[in-house]
Amino acid sequence: MKHDHSQFATIRTPDALPDVDARILRFKPLVHSAARRVHARVGGAVDVDDLIQAGFVALTESARSHARPTEDGFAAYAKARVEGAMI
């Protein structure tokens, strides 16, 4: 059985990095609001700073792996990844 892996192969050039940085800065408030929501649900079991750190790691990975140019799809993808990493 053969699988087509061409959709998963992404080549990142140095030109793509400023786009990643811009996405991270643009969606920074998403990480902070998600951290507050998750912290409210779990109470004092987890520190907010730890949640924010996990969220930024997930946001960075999302920004690097999402190859589509539209921000609509990325916003939903990033929100799911960030909250999933925090939980």
Side-chain angles (χ1 to χ4, degrees), residues 27-38 41 50-63 74-87:
F27 287 94
K28 181 179 176 182
L30 179 131
V31 173
H32 288 280
S33 66
R36 286 191 301 272
R37 279 194 311 274
V38 171
R41 281 189 281 173
D50 293 337
L51 294 172
I52 291 172
Q53 181 179 5
F56 273 116
V57 169
L59 180 64
T60 303
E61 291 173 355
S62 300
F74 178 73
Y77 175 67
K79 182 178 179 185
R81 289 285 309 265
V82 166
E83 288 183 0
M86 289 179 186
I87 293 173

Side-chain angles (χ1 to χ4, degrees), residues 59-70:
L59 180 64
T60 303
E61 291 173 355
S62 300
R64 287 184 179 157
S65 65
H66 194 269
R68 294 179 184 89
T70 62

Side-chain angles (χ1 to χ4, degrees), residues 3-45:
H3 297 283
D4 181 22
H5 295 284
S6 63
Q7 64 183 351
F8 300 114
T10 58
I11 299 172
R12 296 289 180 203
T13 61
D15 301 351
L17 291 179
D19 184 43
V20 170
D21 292 338
R23 272 189 175 163
I24 291 169
L25 288 175
R26 190 173 20 227
F27 287 94
K28 181 179 176 182
L30 179 131
V31 173
H32 288 280
S33 66
R36 286 191 301 272
R37 279 194 311 274
V38 171
H39 187 262
R41 281 189 281 173
V42 298

